[in-house]
Amino acid sequence: MAIAIRQLHPHFVGEVSGVDLRQPLTLDEIAQLQAAIDHYAVLVLHDQDITDEQQLRFALSFGEREQARGGTVTKKEDYRLSTGLNDVSNLGKDGKPLPRDHRTHLFNLGNCLWHSDSSFRPIPAKYSILSARVVNPKGGNTEFADMRAAYDALDQETKAEIEDLVCEHSLMYSRGSLGFLDYTEEEKEMFKPVKQRLVRTHPAHGRKSLYLSSHAGAVIGMSMPEGRLLLRDLTEHATQPEFVYVHTWRLHDLIMWDNRQTMHRVRRYDQSQPRDMRRATVAGTEPTIAQQAAE
């Protein structure tokens, strides 16, 4: 069956049919999907009942796997998955929902904030590929914002103001905004801020986009309050309904998105019920700016 794509939102998001990820992709299929993710920024594939190994194989068609270290407070011996996928479920190692006061659960609530995956890393993530293995019966929609369309809609004065700005990103900024402030010295070292451009240019088509995230907590050269107000204003602009696609998950849905062109967030859901979501993350290939230790 040939690949077909139907656009789901006026600005972005392609619904892909004609692909079975239980089978290895052909070179032609990889090329078509690569062009599609560059263009649509988000791809939705239904009815992909796959294993972790098949999901990782699909991800590796588009680049190297990002190493997970540094993105969680969960200790390695407590990991639920051992296949190389990121666990973005609400489940513990025993397969049951984590208690509401569990440290990992409280930390993971930061995923409900608008963000771009791994913007807190010196080389941020390229693609994220999320597979729905158990869907929560209430809530848990994922929202995506097109950061290219949001940039295009800015006035020229704002574009000129932000063109060369650099922000500091850290998991401690995003989690701190929810009141999660308790870190070990090892975690503080692991979560040290990194610098990222506020405006990025996509290498495939040259469109500019806002590079925002709840991980961004400071703008170099601005006072903390002034910088955070600017980031808040830009985020409010970028997440207006006209730029946002809301995905209601079905069992075995798989979504692939380009972190260089989008932000996303999960909405609140019934934490007493299991939600098993597994993410393969394709590593970025270069920093947005030459990295130095953030002051």
Side-chain angles (χ1 to χ4, degrees):
M1 186 188 301
I3 291 177
I5 301 177
R6 179 172 70 98
Q7 189 160 330
L8 298 181
H9 184 279
H11 292 302
F12 69 144
V13 188
E15 182 183 61
V16 179
S17 58
V19 175
D20 181 355
L21 299 186
R22 294 171 299 180
Q23 307 300 324
L25 295 175
T26 67
L27 291 178
D28 182 60
E29 287 173 330
I30 293 171
Q32 289 184 64
L33 292 172
Q34 180 65 68
I37 191 68
D38 289 341
H39 178 72
Y40 293 102
V42 179
L43 300 179
V44 177
L45 293 80
H46 298 297
D47 304 318
Q48 301 294 329
D49 184 3
I50 55 175
T51 65
D52 290 3
E53 290 72 24
Q54 289 165 342
Q55 184 176 347
L56 190 57
R57 180 182 66 197
F58 174 65
L60 293 175
S61 300
F62 302 95
E64 295 184 7
R65 179 174 71 89
E66 181 181 82
Q67 299 302 312
R69 187 183 182 279
T72 180
V73 296
T74 306
K75 293 181 171 56
K76 193 168 185 179
E77 59 267 25
D78 295 327
Y79 284 2
R80 187 175 67 98
L81 305 179
S82 59
T83 54
L85 298 184
N86 300 87
D87 187 1
V88 287
S89 71
N90 66 342
L91 306 175
K93 198 171 185 178
D94 60 1
K96 298 177 181 178
L98 293 165
R100 294 179 80 102
D101 61 351
H102 194 284
R103 193 164 184 260
T104 296
H105 165 67
L106 296 173
F107 186 83
N108 288 346
L109 287 175
N111 291 325
C112 293
L113 302 172
W114 284 109
H115 65 284
S116 177
D117 286 337
S118 298
S119 74
F120 53 82
R121 300 184 190 277
I123 298 179
K126 189 177 184 181
Y127 304 131
S128 295
I129 299 163
L130 189 61
S131 170
R133 308 298 179 83
V134 176
V135 176
N136 195 278
K138 182 181 177 183
N141 292 346
T142 300
E143 299 180 346
F144 296 89
D146 186 344
M147 306 305 284
R148 309 163 303 179
Y151 175 84
D152 290 344
L154 292 171
D155 59 70
Q156 292 303 318
E157 183 179 355
T158 303
K159 288 179 180 177
E161 177 189 6
I162 66 175
E163 176 67 26
D164 296 317
L165 291 181
V166 174
C167 303
E168 288 184 357
H169 290 236
S170 169
L171 280 165
M172 289 191 290
Y173 289 138
S174 55
R175 274 48 182 177
S177 71
L178 295 180
F180 191 105
L181 304 169
D182 180 25
Y183 300 96
T184 65
E185 291 305 312
E186 180 184 14
E187 288 166 348
K188 289 177 182 176
E189 179 66 22
M190 190 165 58
F191 298 152
K192 281 197 308 189
V194 301
K195 296 178 180 178
Q196 309 287 7
R197 289 188 57 88
L198 181 52
V199 178
R200 296 185 71 171
T201 302
H202 197 277
H205 48 61
R207 285 185 72 181
K208 291 183 177 181
S209 63
L210 290 168
Y211 193 46
L212 294 168
S213 181
S214 59
H215 308 315
V219 180
I220 305 299
M222 289 186 177
S223 66
M224 186 72 77
E226 184 183 14
R228 289 192 174 181
L229 276 175
L230 173 63
L231 292 173
R232 181 172 295 187
D233 284 350
L234 290 172
T235 299
E236 286 181 0
H237 163 77
T239 55
Q240 295 176 88
E242 65 189 277
F243 305 126
V244 172
Y245 163 75
V246 180
H247 185 76
T248 301
W249 289 93
R250 300 178 350 204
L251 183 63
H252 302 316
D253 277 354
L254 182 135
I255 300 186
M256 176 180 183
W257 66 88
D258 188 339
N259 286 290
R260 301 167 297 178
Q261 306 189 79
T262 61
M263 273 202 304
H264 65 282
R265 67 176 177 180
V266 63
R267 304 318 309 266
R268 293 174 65 240
Y269 58 92
D270 183 353
Q271 293 285 347
S272 70
Q273 300 297 313
R275 184 177 191 264
D276 189 350
M277 311 291 282
R278 306 184 185 193
R279 190 184 79 222
T281 313
V282 178
T285 55
E286 58 189 10
T288 65
I289 189 170
Q291 291 291 329
Q292 303 162 355
E295 297 299 328

